[in-house]
Amino acid sequence: MRTITYLLAIVCLGLASCTVIRQGEVGVKRKYGKLNPNVFDAGLVSFNPFSTRVLKVPIRTTNQEVRMNLPSKEGLTVESEISILYSVEKAKVPYILEDVGQNFSSVLIMNVFRSAAADVSAQYMAKDMHSGMRSQIEQQIQEKMHESLRSRGVVVERVLMKSIKLPDELSRAIERKLAAEQEAQQMEYILDRERKEAERRKIEAQSTREAQKILAEGLVKEIIELRSIEAFRELANSPNAKIIITDGKAPLLINPQRD
């Protein structure tokens, strides 16, 4: 019985003296409060549970979501939800733990982010954060964070402004402006259509006038007389009763009845 107890104690001690570092993490041993500069990769790591602890730090890309109020250039407050994608350099993990501690995300990264975001957003109008300039603001925040964190071993991969809520009055003003722009575009479309229709009518009128001019130039006196003779000839040969009125200038075929 005593042997079984010893075996169980040895097994428990062996389990307590090992830890598993998962994929995307690294481990650093801390013995009597002092950090070991060696970094352990994913796998099984043994240690003395009485004097040593293994601190695990993720080095994969981490998504940190933050809600904060951003100041604008005109002094307004813009509610925002922003995601920070960052990772930690493997070789710098012991130094980060020594300088900042395991809570480096809130102590270091979040404070740097809040300062950088406030500095950048204060250079832009509130409406710019809701427009196509959002990507430019994201890029500047990322670069500003990179300047402060790169030497500490933190790589800021992206800063994404997921949602922006403008003040109600400004939102209504933007909506009114967009509606006015749409109305102006619609009116411009109508005017352009009318101009094109007027141009079409003008071209059509010019074509008709030129055709009439060409026809008039071709109607010389001899052709008119010939056409008149042909017309009167057809009338004269017609069996129907008819009355022909003429001014005497046009050629006229007359067949008088004789006794």
Side-chain angles (χ1 to χ4, degrees), residues 153-179:
V154 179
V155 179
V156 181
E157 300 175 5
R158 290 290 302 275
V159 174
L160 303 173
M161 302 178 73
K162 297 172 60 177
S163 66
I164 295 294
K165 184 179 179 182
L166 300 176
D168 294 338
E169 184 60 32
L170 180 58
S171 297
R172 287 191 291 268
I174 292 176
E175 291 175 358
R176 289 193 296 267
K177 180 182 178 182
L178 292 176

mmCIF file with all atom_site columns, all heavy atoms in Angstrom, residues 153-179:
data_model
loop_
_atom_site.group_PDB
_atom_site.id
_atom_site.type_symbol
_atom_site.label_atom_id
_atom_site.label_alt_id
_atom_site.label_comp_id
_atom_site.label_asym_id
_atom_site.label_entity_id
_atom_site.label_seq_id
_atom_site.pdbx_PDB_ins_code
_atom_site.Cartn_x
_atom_site.Cartn_y
_atom_site.Cartn_z
_atom_site.occupancy
_atom_site.B_iso_or_equiv
_atom_site.pdbx_formal_charge
_atom_site.auth_seq_id
_atom_site.auth_comp_id
_atom_site.auth_asym_id
_atom_site.auth_atom_id
_atom_site.pdbx_PDB_model_num
ATOM 1   N N   . GLY A 1 153 ? 9.441   45.184 -29.256 1.00 0.00 ? 153 GLY A N   1
ATOM 2   C CA  . GLY A 1 153 ? 9.175   43.824 -29.728 1.00 0.00 ? 153 GLY A CA  1
ATOM 3   C C   . GLY A 1 153 ? 7.729   43.565 -30.087 1.00 0.00 ? 153 GLY A C   1
ATOM 4   O O   . GLY A 1 153 ? 7.345   42.416 -30.313 1.00 0.00 ? 153 GLY A O   1
ATOM 5   N N   . VAL A 1 154 ? 6.920   44.617 -30.165 1.00 0.00 ? 154 VAL A N   1
ATOM 6   C CA  . VAL A 1 154 ? 5.506   44.475 -30.545 1.00 0.00 ? 154 VAL A CA  1
ATOM 7   C C   . VAL A 1 154 ? 5.334   44.973 -31.968 1.00 0.00 ? 154 VAL A C   1
ATOM 8   O O   . VAL A 1 154 ? 5.719   46.108 -32.282 1.00 0.00 ? 154 VAL A O   1
ATOM 9   C CB  . VAL A 1 154 ? 4.584   45.254 -29.585 1.00 0.00 ? 154 VAL A CB  1
ATOM 10  C CG1 . VAL A 1 154 ? 3.126   45.118 -30.027 1.00 0.00 ? 154 VAL A CG1 1
ATOM 11  C CG2 . VAL A 1 154 ? 4.758   44.737 -28.161 1.00 0.00 ? 154 VAL A CG2 1
ATOM 12  N N   . VAL A 1 155 ? 4.762   44.141 -32.820 1.00 0.00 ? 155 VAL A N   1
ATOM 13  C CA  . VAL A 1 155 ? 4.531   44.493 -34.225 1.00 0.00 ? 155 VAL A CA  1
ATOM 14  C C   . VAL A 1 155 ? 3.044   44.786 -34.417 1.00 0.00 ? 155 VAL A C   1
ATOM 15  O O   . VAL A 1 155 ? 2.206   43.891 -34.239 1.00 0.00 ? 155 VAL A O   1
ATOM 16  C CB  . VAL A 1 155 ? 4.969   43.361 -35.171 1.00 0.00 ? 155 VAL A CB  1
ATOM 17  C CG1 . VAL A 1 155 ? 4.705   43.744 -36.627 1.00 0.00 ? 155 VAL A CG1 1
ATOM 18  C CG2 . VAL A 1 155 ? 6.435   43.032 -34.963 1.00 0.00 ? 155 VAL A CG2 1
ATOM 19  N N   . VAL A 1 156 ? 2.713   46.027 -34.752 1.00 0.00 ? 156 VAL A N   1
ATOM 20  C CA  . VAL A 1 156 ? 1.324   46.407 -35.024 1.00 0.00 ? 156 VAL A CA  1
ATOM 21  C C   . VAL A 1 156 ? 1.048   46.124 -36.494 1.00 0.00 ? 156 VAL A C   1
ATOM 22  O O   . VAL A 1 156 ? 1.594   46.783 -37.375 1.00 0.00 ? 156 VAL A O   1
ATOM 23  C CB  . VAL A 1 156 ? 1.074   47.890 -34.692 1.00 0.00 ? 156 VAL A CB  1
ATOM 24  C CG1 . VAL A 1 156 ? -0.393  48.246 -34.960 1.00 0.00 ? 156 VAL A CG1 1
ATOM 25  C CG2 . VAL A 1 156 ? 1.435   48.179 -33.244 1.00 0.00 ? 156 VAL A CG2 1
ATOM 26  N N   . GLU A 1 157 ? 0.208   45.132 -36.773 1.00 0.00 ? 157 GLU A N   1
ATOM 27  C CA  . GLU A 1 157 ? -0.028  44.701 -38.147 1.00 0.00 ? 157 GLU A CA  1
ATOM 28  C C   . GLU A 1 157 ? -1.100  45.540 -38.838 1.00 0.00 ? 157 GLU A C   1
ATOM 29  O O   . GLU A 1 157 ? -0.936  45.938 -39.982 1.00 0.00 ? 157 GLU A O   1
ATOM 30  C CB  . GLU A 1 157 ? -0.426  43.224 -38.146 1.00 0.00 ? 157 GLU A CB  1
ATOM 31  C CG  . GLU A 1 157 ? 0.655   42.316 -37.557 1.00 0.00 ? 157 GLU A CG  1
ATOM 32  C CD  . GLU A 1 157 ? 0.203   40.877 -37.458 1.00 0.00 ? 157 GLU A CD  1
ATOM 33  O OE1 . GLU A 1 157 ? -0.915  40.564 -37.939 1.00 0.00 ? 157 GLU A OE1 1
ATOM 34  O OE2 . GLU A 1 157 ? 0.961   40.050 -36.901 1.00 0.00 ? 157 GLU A OE2 1
ATOM 35  N N   . ARG A 1 158 ? -2.198  45.787 -38.160 1.00 0.00 ? 158 ARG A N   1
ATOM 36  C CA  . ARG A 1 158 ? -3.269  46.605 -38.749 1.00 0.00 ? 158 ARG A CA  1
ATOM 37  C C   . ARG A 1 158 ? -4.040  47.312 -37.643 1.00 0.00 ? 158 ARG A C   1
ATOM 38  O O   . ARG A 1 158 ? -4.136  46.827 -36.515 1.00 0.00 ? 158 ARG A O   1
ATOM 39  C CB  . ARG A 1 158 ? -4.256  45.732 -39.546 1.00 0.00 ? 158 ARG A CB  1
ATOM 40  C CG  . ARG A 1 158 ? -3.718  45.151 -40.834 1.00 0.00 ? 158 ARG A CG  1
ATOM 41  C CD  . ARG A 1 158 ? -3.510  46.210 -41.889 1.00 0.00 ? 158 ARG A CD  1
ATOM 42  N NE  . ARG A 1 158 ? -4.717  46.938 -42.205 1.00 0.00 ? 158 ARG A NE  1
ATOM 43  C CZ  . ARG A 1 158 ? -5.621  46.530 -43.093 1.00 0.00 ? 158 ARG A CZ  1
ATOM 44  N NH1 . ARG A 1 158 ? -5.445  45.385 -43.745 1.00 0.00 ? 158 ARG A NH1 1
ATOM 45  N NH2 . ARG A 1 158 ? -6.690  47.265 -43.348 1.00 0.00 ? 158 ARG A NH2 1
ATOM 46  N N   . VAL A 1 159 ? -4.609  48.451 -38.006 1.00 0.00 ? 159 VAL A N   1
ATOM 47  C CA  . VAL A 1 159 ? -5.572  49.155 -37.153 1.00 0.00 ? 159 VAL A CA  1
ATOM 48  C C   . VAL A 1 159 ? -6.830  49.351 -37.981 1.00 0.00 ? 159 VAL A C   1
ATOM 49  O O   . VAL A 1 159 ? -6.778  49.957 -39.055 1.00 0.00 ? 159 VAL A O   1
ATOM 50  C CB  . VAL A 1 159 ? -5.018  50.511 -36.657 1.00 0.00 ? 159 VAL A CB  1
ATOM 51  C CG1 . VAL A 1 159 ? -6.111  51.268 -35.893 1.00 0.00 ? 159 VAL A CG1 1
ATOM 52  C CG2 . VAL A 1 159 ? -3.801  50.303 -35.766 1.00 0.00 ? 159 VAL A CG2 1
ATOM 53  N N   . LEU A 1 160 ? -7.942  48.815 -37.522 1.00 0.00 ? 160 LEU A N   1
ATOM 54  C CA  . LEU A 1 160 ? -9.178  48.813 -38.299 1.00 0.00 ? 160 LEU A CA  1
ATOM 55  C C   . LEU A 1 160 ? -10.279 49.540 -37.532 1.00 0.00 ? 160 LEU A C   1
ATOM 56  O O   . LEU A 1 160 ? -10.620 49.151 -36.404 1.00 0.00 ? 160 LEU A O   1
ATOM 57  C CB  . LEU A 1 160 ? -9.627  47.382 -38.598 1.00 0.00 ? 160 LEU A CB  1
ATOM 58  C CG  . LEU A 1 160 ? -8.608  46.500 -39.339 1.00 0.00 ? 160 LEU A CG  1
ATOM 59  C CD1 . LEU A 1 160 ? -9.106  45.068 -39.416 1.00 0.00 ? 160 LEU A CD1 1
ATOM 60  C CD2 . LEU A 1 160 ? -8.326  47.050 -40.712 1.00 0.00 ? 160 LEU A CD2 1
ATOM 61  N N   . MET A 1 161 ? -10.816 50.576 -38.137 1.00 0.00 ? 161 MET A N   1
ATOM 62  C CA  . MET A 1 161 ? -11.940 51.296 -37.543 1.00 0.00 ? 161 MET A CA  1
ATOM 63  C C   . MET A 1 161 ? -13.217 50.604 -37.996 1.00 0.00 ? 161 MET A C   1
ATOM 64  O O   . MET A 1 161 ? -13.734 50.828 -39.088 1.00 0.00 ? 161 MET A O   1
ATOM 65  C CB  . MET A 1 161 ? -11.915 52.764 -37.982 1.00 0.00 ? 161 MET A CB  1
ATOM 66  C CG  . MET A 1 161 ? -10.618 53.469 -37.615 1.00 0.00 ? 161 MET A CG  1
ATOM 67  S SD  . MET A 1 161 ? -10.533 55.194 -38.173 1.00 0.00 ? 161 MET A SD  1
ATOM 68  C CE  . MET A 1 161 ? -11.669 55.967 -37.017 1.00 0.00 ? 161 MET A CE  1
ATOM 69  N N   . LYS A 1 162 ? -13.759 49.747 -37.136 1.00 0.00 ? 162 LYS A N   1
ATOM 70  C CA  . LYS A 1 162 ? -14.886 48.906 -37.516 1.00 0.00 ? 162 LYS A CA  1
ATOM 71  C C   . LYS A 1 162 ? -16.190 49.684 -37.575 1.00 0.00 ? 162 LYS A C   1
ATOM 72  O O   . LYS A 1 162 ? -17.026 49.448 -38.445 1.00 0.00 ? 162 LYS A O   1
ATOM 73  C CB  . LYS A 1 162 ? -15.005 47.733 -36.545 1.00 0.00 ? 162 LYS A CB  1
ATOM 74  C CG  . LYS A 1 162 ? -13.793 46.811 -36.569 1.00 0.00 ? 162 LYS A CG  1
ATOM 75  C CD  . LYS A 1 162 ? -13.853 45.780 -35.470 1.00 0.00 ? 162 LYS A CD  1
ATOM 76  C CE  . LYS A 1 162 ? -15.084 44.894 -35.585 1.00 0.00 ? 162 LYS A CE  1
ATOM 77  N NZ  . LYS A 1 162 ? -15.083 43.841 -34.551 1.00 0.00 ? 162 LYS A NZ  1
ATOM 78  N N   . SER A 1 163 ? -16.393 50.579 -36.650 1.00 0.00 ? 163 SER A N   1
ATOM 79  C CA  . SER A 1 163 ? -17.636 51.359 -36.644 1.00 0.00 ? 163 SER A CA  1
ATOM 80  C C   . SER A 1 163 ? -17.363 52.751 -36.111 1.00 0.00 ? 163 SER A C   1
ATOM 81  O O   . SER A 1 163 ? -16.541 52.932 -35.205 1.00 0.00 ? 163 SER A O   1
ATOM 82  C CB  . SER A 1 163 ? -18.720 50.671 -35.798 1.00 0.00 ? 163 SER A CB  1
ATOM 83  O OG  . SER A 1 163 ? -18.344 50.651 -34.427 1.00 0.00 ? 163 SER A OG  1
ATOM 84  N N   . ILE A 1 164 ? -18.061 53.710 -36.701 1.00 0.00 ? 164 ILE A N   1
ATOM 85  C CA  . ILE A 1 164 ? -17.947 55.112 -36.303 1.00 0.00 ? 164 ILE A CA  1
ATOM 86  C C   . ILE A 1 164 ? -19.353 55.662 -36.124 1.00 0.00 ? 164 ILE A C   1
ATOM 87  O O   . ILE A 1 164 ? -20.199 55.532 -37.010 1.00 0.00 ? 164 ILE A O   1
ATOM 88  C CB  . ILE A 1 164 ? -17.194 55.937 -37.361 1.00 0.00 ? 164 ILE A CB  1
ATOM 89  C CG1 . ILE A 1 164 ? -15.740 55.462 -37.480 1.00 0.00 ? 164 ILE A CG1 1
ATOM 90  C CG2 . ILE A 1 164 ? -17.231 57.419 -37.018 1.00 0.00 ? 164 ILE A CG2 1
ATOM 91  C CD1 . ILE A 1 164 ? -14.903 55.711 -36.260 1.00 0.00 ? 164 ILE A CD1 1
ATOM 92  N N   . LYS A 1 165 ? -19.609 56.271 -34.986 1.00 0.00 ? 165 LYS A N   1
ATOM 93  C CA  . LYS A 1 165 ? -20.904 56.885 -34.726 1.00 0.00 ? 165 LYS A CA  1
ATOM 94  C C   . LYS A 1 165 ? -20.709 58.382 -34.548 1.00 0.00 ? 165 LYS A C   1
ATOM 95  O O   . LYS A 1 165 ? -20.142 58.839 -33.552 1.00 0.00 ? 165 LYS A O   1
ATOM 96  C CB  . LYS A 1 165 ? -21.563 56.287 -33.478 1.00 0.00 ? 165 LYS A CB  1
ATOM 97  C CG  . LYS A 1 165 ? -22.961 56.840 -33.231 1.00 0.00 ? 165 LYS A CG  1
ATOM 98  C CD  . LYS A 1 165 ? -23.599 56.213 -31.999 1.00 0.00 ? 165 LYS A CD  1
ATOM 99  C CE  . LYS A 1 165 ? -24.990 56.794 -31.757 1.00 0.00 ? 165 LYS A CE  1
ATOM 100 N NZ  . LYS A 1 165 ? -25.609 56.223 -30.531 1.00 0.00 ? 165 LYS A NZ  1
ATOM 101 N N   . LEU A 1 166 ? -21.185 59.143 -35.517 1.00 0.00 ? 166 LEU A N   1
ATOM 102 C CA  . LEU A 1 166 ? -21.046 60.591 -35.468 1.00 0.00 ? 166 LEU A CA  1
ATOM 103 C C   . LEU A 1 166 ? -22.116 61.202 -34.563 1.00 0.00 ? 166 LEU A C   1
ATOM 104 O O   . LEU A 1 166 ? -23.155 60.576 -34.316 1.00 0.00 ? 166 LEU A O   1
ATOM 105 C CB  . LEU A 1 166 ? -21.166 61.164 -36.881 1.00 0.00 ? 166 LEU A CB  1
ATOM 106 C CG  . LEU A 1 166 ? -20.133 60.681 -37.907 1.00 0.00 ? 166 LEU A CG  1
ATOM 107 C CD1 . LEU A 1 166 ? -20.450 61.274 -39.276 1.00 0.00 ? 166 LEU A CD1 1
ATOM 108 C CD2 . LEU A 1 166 ? -18.732 61.063 -37.477 1.00 0.00 ? 166 LEU A CD2 1
ATOM 109 N N   . PRO A 1 167 ? -21.904 62.413 -34.092 1.00 0.00 ? 167 PRO A N   1
ATOM 110 C CA  . PRO A 1 167 ? -22.960 63.116 -33.346 1.00 0.00 ? 167 PRO A CA  1
ATOM 111 C C   . PRO A 1 167 ? -24.225 63.230 -34.195 1.00 0.00 ? 167 PRO A C   1
ATOM 112 O O   . PRO A 1 167 ? -24.162 63.351 -35.422 1.00 0.00 ? 167 PRO A O   1
ATOM 113 C CB  . PRO A 1 167 ? -22.332 64.487 -33.063 1.00 0.00 ? 167 PRO A CB  1
ATOM 114 C CG  . PRO A 1 167 ? -20.855 64.236 -33.072 1.00 0.00 ? 167 PRO A CG  1
ATOM 115 C CD  . PRO A 1 167 ? -20.639 63.172 -34.111 1.00 0.00 ? 167 PRO A CD  1
ATOM 116 N N   . ASP A 1 168 ? -25.385 63.180 -33.536 1.00 0.00 ? 168 ASP A N   1
ATOM 117 C CA  . ASP A 1 168 ? -26.664 63.141 -34.253 1.00 0.00 ? 168 ASP A CA  1
ATOM 118 C C   . ASP A 1 168 ? -26.842 64.322 -35.200 1.00 0.00 ? 168 ASP A C   1
ATOM 119 O O   . ASP A 1 168 ? -27.278 64.154 -36.344 1.00 0.00 ? 168 ASP A O   1
ATOM 120 C CB  . ASP A 1 168 ? -27.819 63.104 -33.245 1.00 0.00 ? 168 ASP A CB  1
ATOM 121 C CG  . ASP A 1 168 ? -27.827 61.807 -32.444 1.00 0.00 ? 168 ASP A CG  1
ATOM 122 O OD1 . ASP A 1 168 ? -27.246 60.817 -32.926 1.00 0.00 ? 168 ASP A OD1 1
ATOM 123 O OD2 . ASP A 1 168 ? -28.395 61.795 -31.330 1.00 0.00 ? 168 ASP A OD2 1
ATOM 124 N N   . GLU A 1 169 ? -26.516 65.518 -34.747 1.00 0.00 ? 169 GLU A N   1
ATOM 125 C CA  . GLU A 1 169 ? -26.708 66.702 -35.585 1.00 0.00 ? 169 GLU A CA  1
ATOM 126 C C   . GLU A 1 169 ? -25.825 66.644 -36.823 1.00 0.00 ? 169 GLU A C   1
ATOM 127 O O   . GLU A 1 169 ? -26.251 66.990 -37.928 1.00 0.00 ? 169 GLU A O   1
ATOM 128 C CB  . GLU A 1 169 ? -26.399 67.965 -34.785 1.00 0.00 ? 169 GLU A CB  1
ATOM 129 C CG  . GLU A 1 169 ? -26.667 69.264 -35.549 1.00 0.00 ? 169 GLU A CG  1
ATOM 130 C CD  . GLU A 1 169 ? -28.107 69.398 -35.986 1.00 0.00 ? 169 GLU A CD  1
ATOM 131 O OE1 . GLU A 1 169 ? -28.998 68.893 -35.277 1.00 0.00 ? 169 GLU A OE1 1
ATOM 132 O OE2 . GLU A 1 169 ? -28.356 70.005 -37.057 1.00 0.00 ? 169 GLU A OE2 1
ATOM 133 N N   . LEU A 1 170 ? -24.591 66.170 -36.654 1.00 0.00 ? 170 LEU A N   1
ATOM 134 C CA  . LEU A 1 170 ? -23.692 66.056 -37.793 1.00 0.00 ? 170 LEU A CA  1
ATOM 135 C C   . LEU A 1 170 ? -24.173 64.978 -38.757 1.00 0.00 ? 170 LEU A C   1
ATOM 136 O O   . LEU A 1 170 ? -24.089 65.148 -39.977 1.00 0.00 ? 170 LEU A O   1
ATOM 137 C CB  . LEU A 1 170 ? -22.277 65.734 -37.307 1.00 0.00 ? 170 LEU A CB  1
ATOM 138 C CG  . LEU A 1 170 ? -21.207 65.583 -38.394 1.00 0.00 ? 170 LEU A CG  1
ATOM 139 C CD1 . LEU A 1 170 ? -21.100 66.855 -39.225 1.00 0.00 ? 170 LEU A CD1 1
ATOM 140 C CD2 . LEU A 1 170 ? -19.854 65.237 -37.779 1.00 0.00 ? 170 LEU A CD2 1
ATOM 141 N N   . SER A 1 171 ? -24.695 63.888 -38.221 1.00 0.00 ? 171 SER A N   1
ATOM 142 C CA  . SER A 1 171 ? -25.219 62.826 -39.085 1.00 0.00 ? 171 SER A CA  1
ATOM 143 C C   . SER A 1 171 ? -26.376 63.334 -39.924 1.00 0.00 ? 171 SER A C   1
ATOM 144 O O   . SER A 1 171 ? -26.460 63.049 -41.130 1.00 0.00 ? 171 SER A O   1
ATOM 145 C CB  . SER A 1 171 ? -25.672 61.636 -38.235 1.00 0.00 ? 171 SER A CB  1
ATOM 146 O OG  . SER A 1 171 ? -24.582 61.065 -37.541 1.00 0.00 ? 171 SER A OG  1
ATOM 147 N N   . ARG A 1 172 ? -27.258 64.112 -39.297 1.00 0.00 ? 172 ARG A N   1
ATOM 148 C CA  . ARG A 1 172 ? -28.389 64.660 -40.056 1.00 0.00 ? 172 ARG A CA  1
ATOM 149 C C   . ARG A 1 172 ? -27.908 65.655 -41.117 1.00 0.00 ? 172 ARG A C   1
ATOM 150 O O   . ARG A 1 172 ? -28.446 65.703 -42.231 1.00 0.00 ? 172 ARG A O   1
ATOM 151 C CB  . ARG A 1 172 ? -29.381 65.330 -39.101 1.00 0.00 ? 172 ARG A CB  1
ATOM 152 C CG  . ARG A 1 172 ? -30.185 64.336 -38.264 1.00 0.00 ? 172 ARG A CG  1
ATOM 153 C CD  . ARG A 1 172 ? -31.330 65.025 -37.554 1.00 0.00 ? 172 ARG A CD  1
ATOM 154 N NE  . ARG A 1 172 ? -30.856 65.919 -36.522 1.00 0.00 ? 172 ARG A NE  1
ATOM 155 C CZ  . ARG A 1 172 ? -30.682 65.566 -35.247 1.00 0.00 ? 172 ARG A CZ  1
ATOM 156 N NH1 . ARG A 1 172 ? -30.934 64.315 -34.864 1.00 0.00 ? 172 ARG A NH1 1
ATOM 157 N NH2 . ARG A 1 172 ? -30.265 66.438 -34.353 1.00 0.00 ? 172 ARG A NH2 1
ATOM 158 N N   . ALA A 1 173 ? -26.894 66.452 -40.776 1.00 0.00 ? 173 ALA A N   1
ATOM 159 C CA  . ALA A 1 173 ? -26.359 67.402 -41.756 1.00 0.00 ? 173 ALA A CA  1
ATOM 160 C C   . ALA A 1 173 ? -25.743 66.683 -42.954 1.00 0.00 ? 173 ALA A C   1
ATOM 161 O O   . ALA A 1 173 ? -25.917 67.096 -44.106 1.00 0.00 ? 173 ALA A O   1
ATOM 162 C CB  . ALA A 1 173 ? -25.317 68.305 -41.081 1.00 0.00 ? 173 ALA A CB  1
ATOM 163 N N   . ILE A 1 174 ? -25.031 65.586 -42.681 1.00 0.00 ? 174 ILE A N   1
ATOM 164 C CA  . ILE A 1 174 ? -24.434 64.813 -43.774 1.00 0.00 ? 174 ILE A CA  1
ATOM 165 C C   . ILE A 1 174 ? -25.520 64.193 -44.643 1.00 0.00 ? 174 ILE A C   1
ATOM 166 O O   . ILE A 1 174 ? -25.421 64.165 -45.876 1.00 0.00 ? 174 ILE A O   1
ATOM 167 C CB  . ILE A 1 174 ? -23.498 63.736 -43.200 1.00 0.00 ? 174 ILE A CB  1
ATOM 168 C CG1 . ILE A 1 174 ? -22.276 64.394 -42.546 1.00 0.00 ? 174 ILE A CG1 1
ATOM 169 C CG2 . ILE A 1 174 ? -23.048 62.765 -44.283 1.00 0.00 ? 174 ILE A CG2 1
ATOM 170 C CD1 . ILE A 1 174 ? -21.343 63.417 -41.864 1.00 0.00 ? 174 ILE A CD1 1
ATOM 171 N N   . GLU A 1 175 ? -26.578 63.697 -44.008 1.00 0.00 ? 175 GLU A N   1
ATOM 172 C CA  . GLU A 1 175 ? -27.679 63.118 -44.776 1.00 0.00 ? 175 GLU A CA  1
ATOM 173 C C   . GLU A 1 175 ? -28.349 64.160 -45.658 1.00 0.00 ? 175 GLU A C   1
ATOM 174 O O   . GLU A 1 175 ? -28.684 63.879 -46.815 1.00 0.00 ? 175 GLU A O   1
ATOM 175 C CB  . GLU A 1 175 ? -28.699 62.497 -43.817 1.00 0.00 ? 175 GLU A CB  1
ATOM 176 C CG  . GLU A 1 175 ? -28.179 61.248 -43.101 1.00 0.00 ? 175 GLU A CG  1
ATOM 177 C CD  . GLU A 1 175 ? -29.170 60.729 -42.082 1.00 0.00 ? 175 GLU A CD  1
ATOM 178 O OE1 . GLU A 1 175 ? -30.240 61.375 -41.907 1.00 0.00 ? 175 GLU A OE1 1
ATOM 179 O OE2 . GLU A 1 175 ? -28.885 59.694 -41.453 1.00 0.00 ? 175 GLU A OE2 1
ATOM 180 N N   . ARG A 1 176 ? -28.535 65.378 -45.111 1.00 0.00 ? 176 ARG A N   1
ATOM 181 C CA  . ARG A 1 176 ? -29.136 66.442 -45.928 1.00 0.00 ? 176 ARG A CA  1
ATOM 182 C C   . ARG A 1 176 ? -28.231 66.808 -47.097 1.00 0.00 ? 176 ARG A C   1
ATOM 183 O O   . ARG A 1 176 ? -28.699 67.057 -48.220 1.00 0.00 ? 176 ARG A O   1
ATOM 184 C CB  . ARG A 1 176 ? -29.408 67.675 -45.053 1.00 0.00 ? 176 ARG A CB  1
ATOM 185 C CG  . ARG A 1 176 ? -30.543 67.485 -44.055 1.00 0.00 ? 176 ARG A CG  1
ATOM 186 C CD  . ARG A 1 176 ? -30.973 68.824 -43.450 1.00 0.00 ? 176 ARG A CD  1
ATOM 187 N NE  . ARG A 1 176 ? -29.896 69.430 -42.679 1.00 0.00 ? 176 ARG A NE  1
ATOM 188 C CZ  . ARG A 1 176 ? -29.745 69.260 -41.364 1.00 0.00 ? 176 ARG A CZ  1
ATOM 189 N NH1 . ARG A 1 176 ? -30.587 68.488 -40.697 1.00 0.00 ? 176 ARG A NH1 1
ATOM 190 N NH2 . ARG A 1 176 ? -28.758 69.855 -40.712 1.00 0.00 ? 176 ARG A NH2 1
ATOM 191 N N   . LYS A 1 177 ? -26.932 66.839 -46.844 1.00 0.00 ? 177 LYS A N   1
ATOM 192 C CA  . LYS A 1 177 ? -25.992 67.169 -47.913 1.00 0.00 ? 177 LYS A CA  1
ATOM 193 C C   . LYS A 1 177 ? -26.009 66.109 -49.000 1.00 0.00 ? 177 LYS A C   1
ATOM 194 O O   . LYS A 1 177 ? -26.007 66.426 -50.205 1.00 0.00 ? 177 LYS A O   1
ATOM 195 C CB  . LYS A 1 177 ? -24.584 67.306 -47.332 1.00 0.00 ? 177 LYS A CB  1
ATOM 196 C CG  . LYS A 1 177 ? -23.535 67.651 -48.382 1.00 0.00 ? 177 LYS A CG  1
ATOM 197 C CD  . LYS A 1 177 ? -22.150 67.734 -47.777 1.00 0.00 ? 177 LYS A CD  1
ATOM 198 C CE  . LYS A 1 177 ? -21.100 68.032 -48.846 1.00 0.00 ? 177 LYS A CE  1
ATOM 199 N NZ  . LYS A 1 177 ? -19.730 68.075 -48.266 1.00 0.00 ? 177 LYS A NZ  1
ATOM 200 N N   . LEU A 1 178 ? -26.034 64.845 -48.599 1.00 0.00 ? 178 LEU A N   1
ATOM 201 C CA  . LEU A 1 178 ? -26.077 63.761 -49.584 1.00 0.00 ? 178 LEU A CA  1
ATOM 202 C C   . LEU A 1 178 ? -27.352 63.816 -50.406 1.00 0.00 ? 178 LEU A C   1
ATOM 203 O O   . LEU A 1 178 ? -27.338 63.603 -51.623 1.00 0.00 ? 178 LEU A O   1
ATOM 204 C CB  . LEU A 1 178 ? -25.953 62.402 -48.874 1.00 0.00 ? 178 LEU A CB  1
ATOM 205 C CG  . LEU A 1 178 ? -24.593 62.102 -48.224 1.00 0.00 ? 178 LEU A CG  1
ATOM 206 C CD1 . LEU A 1 178 ? -24.649 60.783 -47.474 1.00 0.00 ? 178 LEU A CD1 1
ATOM 207 C CD2 . LEU A 1 178 ? -23.493 62.073 -49.273 1.00 0.00 ? 178 LEU A CD2 1
ATOM 208 N N   . ALA A 1 179 ? -28.485 64.131 -49.721 1.00 0.00 ? 179 ALA A N   1
ATOM 209 C CA  . ALA A 1 179 ? -29.753 64.229 -50.445 1.00 0.00 ? 179 ALA A CA  1
ATOM 210 C C   . ALA A 1 179 ? -29.711 65.375 -51.455 1.00 0.00 ? 179 ALA A C   1
ATOM 211 O O   . ALA A 1 179 ? -30.186 65.243 -52.590 1.00 0.00 ? 179 ALA A O   1
ATOM 212 C CB  . ALA A 1 179 ? -30.903 64.428 -49.453 1.00 0.00 ? 179 ALA A CB  1
#
